Amino acid sequence: MKKLMFPLIFITLMLISCSGDDIEEYIPPEPITPEEPEEPVAYHTKAKDLFDLINQFYGVRSGAAVGLFNENYPKKSGDNIASYLWPYDGLVSGAALLHKLGYDVKYADLVDNFDVYYRTSADGVNIGGYGSSTNGTTGGGTRFYDDNSIVGISLVEAYKLTNNRDYLDKARQIVQFLKSGEDNIHGGGLWWNESEKNISGNENSNKPTCSNGYATLFLLEYYTVCDQSEKSDVLAFARRLYTWVYNNLRDPADGCYWNDVQVSGSVNKMKWTYNTGVMISNGIRLSQILSDQKYLNEAIESAQGAYSYFVRPAGKLALAYPNHDPWFTTKLIRSFVEIEPYYPSAANYIKTFINFLDYGYTHARFSNGLFYEDWTGSDPKRAEQLLMQAAALESLGVVALYKGESANAK
């Protein structure tokens, strides 16, 4: 059986020691020459192969950050001892999918490593939350509300998959951290992070869809597993945040969501795939919890609007999703998978994405198997970033599960 194989040169790679963390010797890769396999490779196999490559090229093998991953491959001058929290969480999301598919990827160990990003306090707030960076032992950097919410989503998922109540307790702490960030400026909502609140002239000081949308999604996920005594308060918090985003950042023309409200009250009308995606997911959940069709209708309108807005011809592709930030697009696709049972046209949206992913697998990878950021294959930009590989991993895992694949299938 003929498959796409990595060049023989990578079989001979040797580990070397480098400044306290062993990494693969860096040999500059080349763009691959597209070659279709005679027999298709299952998506779960592609996902596991990429996960193994991420461990091979990005894994930190010694020193204080052993078990974590580097931000870039090859590691750049000035990089931290380990990656920022965002790409690490992207990797954990992909590992969760592999775990569901039946692979042993030491999933619990990866989830447990969130602990090294944890900060007990920051900026005068004596409530624990996850920082954007780590020294390998404790968290540092800024505590972003969207980062913490995304970790919370991963923790709830880990609790559902392992039944380890420690993960539920850690998720509960994130609820308290998010509460510490809510205020009434501009009518409610969360800022992007706790360090840059209400600072005039600072573009990072804003109330964005990402912080509020992902906080809503985390709270609705946590609602499904939390103690009965917490449910009313958690649901009320989620509804406040959802309503704030809907009222302030939804484009009524297409149901997509703008990026943020600035300190001045002006709206940054940039649109990103993941912002609309998370609000679709939230609408589905609120419709289910509250038995209210209104929320599902809002989600369907946003799904229709997102496909119309973001999908365009690109290069040799008749239809393609944006050629940048694949992690963002993966979140939109996950919302399309969720809404398909209620809105069958979403199957076409997913099919377009699968074609896009297939094209990227063939035309937008290096000879070492790592993905470009741009899946149209026109520019191998930012391929060195862990986040780009984590996005491809999660995308492959999502498609494998969508197609009903399993590592244990005969």
Side-chain angles (χ1 to χ4, degrees):
M1 182 174 66
K2 185 179 179 184
K3 296 183 179 179
L4 285 172
M5 301 297 292
F6 304 136
L8 186 61
I9 192 170
F10 282 92
I11 299 176
T12 63
L13 283 173
M14 301 296 292
L15 295 178
I16 62 171
S17 178
C18 178
S19 301
D21 57 331
D22 293 337
I23 58 174
E24 285 287 336
E25 179 184 1
Y26 180 65
I27 298 176
E30 299 290 337
I32 60 173
T33 300
E35 180 182 359
E36 296 290 348
E38 291 180 355
E39 297 183 27
V41 180
Y43 289 95
H44 72 83
T45 301
K46 295 176 182 178
K48 179 57 165 57
D49 288 347
L50 180 56
F51 179 79
D52 291 342
L53 288 174
I54 291 171
N55 277 275
Q56 176 183 345
F57 292 124
Y58 291 85
V60 179
R61 297 182 178 85
S62 66
V66 66
L68 297 175
F69 295 79
N70 287 307
E71 181 76 13
N72 295 292
Y73 173 74
K75 192 166 185 174
K76 295 183 177 181
S77 174
D79 278 0
N80 294 330
I81 192 171
S83 74
Y84 286 106
L85 178 60
W86 178 16
Y88 184 75
D89 184 78
L91 179 61
V92 175
S93 295
L97 296 170
L98 288 172
H99 180 82
K100 292 177 184 178
L101 287 163
Y103 286 104
D104 180 5
V105 292
K106 296 183 171 56
Y107 171 59
D109 291 344
L110 292 169
V111 177
D112 290 340
N113 279 341
F114 280 133
D115 290 352
V116 303
Y117 290 91
Y118 190 78
R119 300 186 66 181
T120 56
S121 63
D123 292 285
V125 177
N126 294 318
I127 296 174
Y130 294 85
S132 58
S133 62
T134 181
N135 62 11
T137 304
T138 59
T142 304
R143 300 196 299 185
F144 291 86
Y145 295 110
D146 58 336
D147 276 0
N148 275 264
S149 297
I150 293 166
V151 170
I153 293 165
S154 291
L155 290 171
V156 172
E157 182 175 40
Y159 171 68
K160 291 179 178 179
L161 291 174
T162 68
N163 205 33
N164 183 342
R165 195 169 177 86
D166 287 346
Y167 300 142
L168 189 60
D169 295 337
K170 292 172 182 177
R172 181 180 298 110
Q173 179 62 35
I174 293 175
V175 177
Q176 300 308 312
F177 175 69
L178 294 176
K179 284 183 177 180
S180 75
E182 187 180 25
D183 64 30
N184 291 319
I185 297 173
H186 299 312
L190 302 170
W191 298 91
W192 188 29
N193 66 74
E194 68 178 354
S195 301
E196 297 175 294
K197 295 180 179 179
N198 201 28
I199 303 173
S200 181
N202 182 344
E203 291 187 355
N204 289 335
S205 183
N206 62 72
K207 290 191 169 183
T209 297
C210 64
S211 291
N212 292 278
Y214 278 94
T216 303
L217 182 56
F218 160 63
L219 291 165
L220 294 174
E221 284 292 289
Y222 180 69
Y223 173 87
T224 65
V225 294
C226 70
D227 294 342
Q228 188 64 38
S229 61
E230 302 174 71
K231 287 188 180 295
S232 177
D233 185 52
V234 168
L235 181 58
F237 190 11
R239 294 182 70 181
R240 285 198 306 276
L241 296 180
Y242 177 92
T243 300
W244 185 88
V245 178
Y246 184 90
N247 289 341
N248 289 278
L249 289 168
R250 189 176 193 267
D251 184 348
D254 60 11
C256 293
Y257 285 81
W258 297 312
N259 194 69
D260 64 78
V261 176
Q262 292 281 311
V263 172
S264 65
S266 65
V267 174
N268 173 2
K269 293 189 175 182
M270 184 69 184
K271 292 176 181 176
W272 300 100
T273 47
Y274 76 134
N275 283 334
T276 300
V278 74
M279 290 300 286
I280 294 169
S281 295
N282 290 334
I284 296 166
R285 283 161 177 75
L286 284 169
S287 176
Q288 293 169 339
I289 293 169
L290 299 172
S291 299
D292 190 337
Q293 183 70 24
K294 173 179 80 77
Y295 293 105
L296 184 59
N297 291 342
E298 292 167 359
I300 291 171
E301 290 170 6
S302 293
Q304 294 168 337
Y307 189 75
S308 296
Y309 183 85
F310 290 110
V311 176
R312 295 284 185 273
K316 295 181 179 180
L317 287 161
L319 291 173
Y321 283 84
N323 64 358
H324 55 80
D325 300 288
W327 185 90
F328 289 175
T329 298
T330 295
K331 301 307 178 184
L332 177 62
I333 300 309
R334 296 191 78 155
S335 76
F336 288 163
V337 171
E338 290 178 343
I339 207 167
E340 185 191 355
Y342 311 99
Y343 175 59
S345 292
N348 294 323
Y349 305 171
I350 300 164
K351 181 179 179 180
T352 298
F353 178 75
I354 293 172
N355 291 339
F356 183 48
L357 177 60
D358 288 347
Y359 192 88
Y361 186 82
T362 303
H363 297 86
R365 289 187 303 146
F366 286 112
S367 55
N368 61 8
L370 298 179
F371 276 74
Y372 303 176
E373 175 189 21
D374 175 5
W375 293 357
T376 70
S378 63
D379 185 355
K381 58 183 179 178
R382 297 205 294 177
E384 72 278 3
Q385 296 182 9
L386 175 62
L387 182 62
M388 302 307 157
Q389 309 312 318
L393 170 64
E394 187 172 356
S395 296
L396 291 165
V398 166
V399 172
L401 285 174
Y402 176 74
K403 288 181 168 290
E405 294 181 0
S406 170
N408 301 317
K410 300 296 184 182

